[in-house]
Amino acid sequence: MNWLERMKSGLKTRIKREIPQGIWQQCTHCGHSTYTMALERNYWICPECTGHYPISSRQYASLLLDEDSFAEMDATVTSSDPLRFRDTKRYSERLRAARRLSGLNEAILTGIGTMGGHPVALGVMDTRFIMGSLGSATGEKIVRLIDRARVDRRCLLLVCQSGGARMMESAFSLMQMAKISAKLRQLAEDRLLYITVLTDPTYGGVTASFGMLGDIILAEPRARVGFAGQNVIKQFLGTDELPEDFQIAESVLQHGFVDRIVSRDQLAVEIVRLIALLAPDGNPQEPPAAP
Amino acid sequence: MAENAFHLDFEQPVIALEKRIAELSQQAESDGLDLSEEIGRLEERAEDLRQRVYRDLTPWQRVQLSRHPQRPYTLDYLTRMTSDFVELHGDRAYGDDAAVVGGAARLDGEPIMVVGMQSGRNVAERQRRNFGMPHPEGYRKALRIMHLGARFGLPVLSLVDTSAAYPGVEAEYRGQAEAIARCMYEMSHLPVPVVVVILSQGGSGGAIALGVGDRILMLENAWYGVIAPEACSTILFKTRERKEEAADALKLTASDLHEQKIIDQIVPEPFGGAHRDWDEAAALLKRRVTEALAELRLLSAEELVRNRVEKYCAMGAYSD
């Protein structure tokens, strides 16, 4: 079976409903109501305006990977509240609530699987976990995923979705940016392909580390992608007005920081095509000999 | 600088007492009175007060000291610590960001490469330097300079002092996030010794962008963290006023970060803060930078890079 056939068979995974509940869903972009079953079949893309509904990390995993190929890694890794941080609520309480809400122990789901038959290491962030913020455990899970990709010679794929660094871990969170960036540089030295998918929203320390370090950077249509949040910028500049399309994926592409805008229903196809073009044989260790 | 010096609110009792002593001495002299006993007592009290005020600074007070308008900046340290500094300009892609300075210099005669953020001393200079808040071209300039150093085997000294990367529309358009990410990515693998010093403000991504190295030093009254206390207070409590609480919660002082094993060494400052004596502050820093570089020069490029990556991999607090 060639990669195309495998991809075709692999991609027939049904996306299970995890985030929105109820029979009808209303699109936040255009207000159009759609029957939930129809949305599921349509990759949670609004049939009226093609707006992308938010979906969970597990939904992305089943959407991207060949059916039943996903093996989760490090599911128990979780943050340990190093600063005993407390604001209006304790961080430990926020962690507990986030675990309940997301069914994850951290803001990222990681694991290995195949896409169109190609071995990949996949990480998907989840905004239901404290806005998908980058904490110590998030960083550790990504680093372990990178090491797994290096050992098995897999392509690395990270689906980003985050408000940025995790305030409750302050400097620990900040250091994850350096930790992940350093490991991604190792991955590149190993000549392994790294693809990022920026989804709505991707901000702060996530954009400013692994989000922008992809060899290839894809983004979902109309996803908000930036470093500083819009409220921060408005407050700082003392203005209510920001340019139209500011920090919208299509405009970020115009400025040169995204390779392609890819609709969710095309994501897997595009990624498999890229892997097949760039690293078809599980990433050859040595560059091909010069002719 | 003493006469019209800027004083922080928590310093006021000390300043008031020092003023009172000065007045009494003057009065004693002009009226021919013997107030030596009283003055002596006040001086004792002043010393006691100084010790109490400056010994046990709260995190928020340290944040205030780190932003003291007379605190030395990157170039003030460089002129005192190094010789033959040749500043280099521009990122070779867009422009020259005056919020970042860098170039080649000699430290005790040995060539090194230096980069760092730079703020201004007066209004015009502050504006020109954009309050030490870099744009992407600033980070890209720093990276260009570091790469140049690496090519010629020069160790890198990075002096970090910024409240944040500039949060503006143009900065976003020109890829602030990419510039920061690229700096960390490349710094992690520079094949030369890299010493980082958190001089005053280590504000979030804007700081870690130039903060990846083999030895991380931090001045006694500097702060380093993911967000400034006022901004943290705004997010958490919907008001800027609970900044003291936020500063406590963020664990952002040098001793906190040393405990967290995020920095390697605390660099002492002159008593009462670096702004009281620039020469001494620079001498204290120079000694530690020189020591760190001497240790690192013994390692091969491979060892340096391997240790550096491992150092960052060990950072974090999680359970499994």
Side-chain angles (χ1 to χ4, degrees):
Chain A
M1 189 161 58
N2 68 30
W3 68 268
L4 188 65
E5 288 163 339
R6 275 191 292 202
M7 178 186 72
K8 280 180 180 161
S9 68
L11 291 177
K12 279 182 189 151
T13 340
R14 273 278 299 282
I15 303 167
K16 286 189 214 79
R17 177 164 57 81
E18 275 194 32
I19 290 187
Q21 310 221 327
I23 299 171
W24 293 90
Q25 307 296 335
Q26 201 181 15
C27 175
T28 52
H29 301 269
C30 69
H32 183 79
S33 287
T34 311
Y35 196 40
T36 303
M37 298 265 282
L39 261 185
E40 277 180 22
R41 279 194 301 271
N42 203 34
Y43 298 84
W44 292 88
I45 298 170
C46 175
E48 189 68 18
C49 75
T50 70
H52 284 46
Y53 282 71
I55 59 170
S56 73
S57 47
R58 286 195 196 278
Q59 283 173 303
Y60 273 110
S62 63
L63 177 156
L64 291 170
L65 297 173
D66 297 340
E67 197 164 6
D68 297 326
S69 74
F70 183 62
E72 189 175 349
M73 288 167 52
D74 304 308
T76 56
V77 175
T78 188
S79 278
S80 59
D81 190 8
L83 309 182
R84 303 249 154 270
F85 196 89
R86 180 188 190 138
D87 47 81
T88 48
K89 252 192 213 168
R90 283 175 199 279
Y91 176 39
S92 52
E93 280 171 40
R94 287 187 195 279
L95 283 171
R96 261 198 301 279
R99 282 175 204 134
R100 262 198 311 275
L101 182 68
S102 65
L104 295 167
N105 282 315
E106 245 309 313
I108 192 164
L109 171 74
T110 58
I112 53 168
T114 58
M115 287 186 74
H118 302 288
V120 296
L122 172 72
V124 189
M125 304 190 82
D126 201 312
T127 44
R128 292 172 304 169
F129 199 101
I130 317 184
M131 265 316 286
S133 54
L134 178 59
S136 293
T138 331
E140 180 64 18
K141 284 182 82 169
I142 294 173
V143 160
R144 291 185 189 183
L145 186 69
I146 294 170
D147 275 336
R148 182 62 186 262
R150 293 174 65 215
V151 168
D152 295 358
R153 302 207 62 73
R154 293 169 183 271
C155 292
L156 175 68
L157 179 62
L158 292 179
V159 180
C160 303
Q161 176 172 99
S162 173
R166 190 174 298 166
M167 193 167 59
M168 303 81 164
E169 292 188 30
S170 196
F172 282 107
S173 167
L174 202 54
M175 293 308 128
Q176 304 311 308
M177 294 168 65
K179 174 171 167 172
I180 298 164
S181 301
K183 290 299 287 189
L184 286 173
R185 182 72 161 66
Q186 278 189 337
L187 187 85
E189 299 237 314
D190 289 356
R191 306 178 62 81
L192 290 166
L193 179 63
Y194 168 39
I195 299 175
T196 50
V197 180
L198 311 181
T199 72
D200 186 66
T202 302
Y203 273 95
V206 167
T207 320
S209 59
F210 53 98
M212 279 291 144
L213 289 173
D215 298 312
I216 293 164
I217 303 178
L218 308 177
E220 285 192 347
R222 307 288 305 162
R224 288 164 295 170
V225 173
F227 176 60
Q230 300 207 352
N231 285 335
V232 172
I233 295 176
K234 282 181 191 168
Q235 259 182 22
F236 191 84
L237 303 179
T239 176
D240 288 331
E241 293 274 315
L242 289 173
E244 202 182 333
D245 281 355
F246 183 61
Q247 296 183 331
I248 299 297
E250 286 78 356
S251 129
V252 180
L253 181 146
Q254 288 299 318
H255 284 98
F257 295 97
V258 165
D259 284 290
R260 294 178 66 77
I261 307 295
V262 184
S263 179
R264 191 181 287 154
D265 55 333
Q266 294 301 308
L267 263 182
V269 179
E270 282 247 351
I271 291 166
V272 171
R273 185 177 295 146
L274 282 165
I275 295 173
L277 283 166
L278 287 160
D281 305 315
N283 298 285
Q285 197 120 23
E286 294 302 321
Chain B
M1 99 176 74
E3 271 312 301
N4 50 6
F6 174 93
H7 301 302
L8 300 166
D9 53 2
F10 65 87
E11 295 179 299
Q12 291 307 335
V14 177
I15 306 299
L17 199 56
E18 283 171 352
K19 212 172 135 198
R20 172 93 183 112
I21 293 168
E23 279 167 8
L24 270 182
S25 315
Q26 213 176 9
Q27 201 188 339
E29 207 174 306
S30 60
D31 300 354
L33 294 172
D34 181 13
L35 296 175
S36 56
E37 199 180 314
E38 168 131 33
I39 290 170
R41 243 185 315 118
L42 284 182
E43 262 168 2
E44 244 171 65
R45 247 178 71 198
E47 183 50 32
D48 188 53
L49 196 59
R50 270 194 294 268
Q51 289 291 337
R52 265 190 294 140
V53 165
Y54 293 116
R55 277 269 171 263
D56 301 312
L57 293 169
T58 66
W60 172 246
Q61 287 169 339
R62 290 192 196 275
V63 172
Q64 287 176 289
L65 272 181
S66 78
R67 298 170 179 166
H68 197 292
Q70 271 110 32
R71 195 169 165 85
Y73 298 140
T74 293
L75 288 176
D76 302 316
Y77 283 102
L78 285 186
T79 51
R80 284 164 180 79
M81 289 166 61
T82 66
S83 57
D84 291 357
F85 175 54
V86 182
E87 189 177 351
L88 303 173
H89 294 274
D91 71 340
R92 298 292 191 271
Y94 178 82
D96 183 44
D97 184 354
V100 174
V101 294
R106 286 183 192 277
L107 185 74
D108 288 333
E110 294 286 333
I112 59 167
M113 276 296 186
V114 206
V115 294
M117 294 82 166
Q118 177 68 30
S119 193
R121 206 50 76 181
N122 56 44
V123 177
E125 184 69 0
R126 269 197 286 277
Q127 274 172 354
R128 189 172 81 81
R129 301 275 187 197
N130 198 34
F131 301 86
M133 301 167 93
H135 277 74
E137 53 272 23
Y139 293 115
R140 291 179 184 134
K141 169 169 72 174
L143 186 55
R144 177 176 78 85
I145 291 170
M146 292 189 283
H147 274 316
L148 185 62
R151 180 140 55 91
F152 294 99
L154 271 57
V156 169
L157 172 63
S158 175
L159 302 180
V160 173
D161 183 9
T162 186
S163 58
Y166 188 68
V169 173
E170 292 294 316
E172 293 286 322
Y173 282 164
R174 299 202 288 272
Q176 189 72 286
E178 193 277 342
I180 291 170
R182 191 67 54 192
C183 275
M184 294 184 296
Y185 185 78
E186 292 298 328
M187 280 184 95
S188 73
H189 277 64
L190 288 175
V192 290
V194 182
V195 174
V196 174
V197 185
I198 312 297
L199 282 182
S200 298
Q201 301 206 76
S204 198
I208 186 72
L210 298 186
V212 181
D214 305 304
R215 290 281 188 288
I216 315 299
L217 315 184
M218 181 164 169
L219 264 63
E220 198 184 335
N221 293 312
W223 70 270
Y224 193 14
V226 81
I227 188 168
E230 298 95 322
C232 177
S233 169
T234 308
I235 292 173
L236 296 180
F237 309 116
K238 313 289 171 219
T239 164
R240 287 173 78 84
E241 293 314 306
R242 293 172 71 178
K243 46 197 188 280
E244 288 91 345
E245 277 171 77
D248 286 344
L250 288 169
K251 302 273 194 299
L252 43 62
T253 67
S255 56
D256 290 328
L257 281 142
H258 191 250
E259 222 167 274
Q260 296 163 13
K261 297 191 167 60
I262 285 172
I263 61 157
D264 298 296
Q265 197 178 12
I266 302 173
V267 181
E269 294 181 23
F271 191 71
H275 64 284
R276 299 212 157 207
D277 190 340
W278 291 10
D279 290 340
E280 195 194 338
L284 288 166
L285 176 58
K286 183 180 175 179
R287 207 180 91 200
R288 276 135 192 105
V289 170
T290 312
E291 284 168 3
L293 281 178
E295 283 171 32
L296 295 170
R297 280 181 207 273
L298 303 175
L299 302 174
S300 70
E302 292 72 32
E303 285 170 314
L304 284 167
V305 172
R306 193 178 56 237
N307 294 352
R308 201 179 303 145
V309 174
E310 275 171 17
K311 173 187 178 69
Y312 282 88
C313 281
M315 290 186 191
Y318 56 87
S319 63
D320 188 357

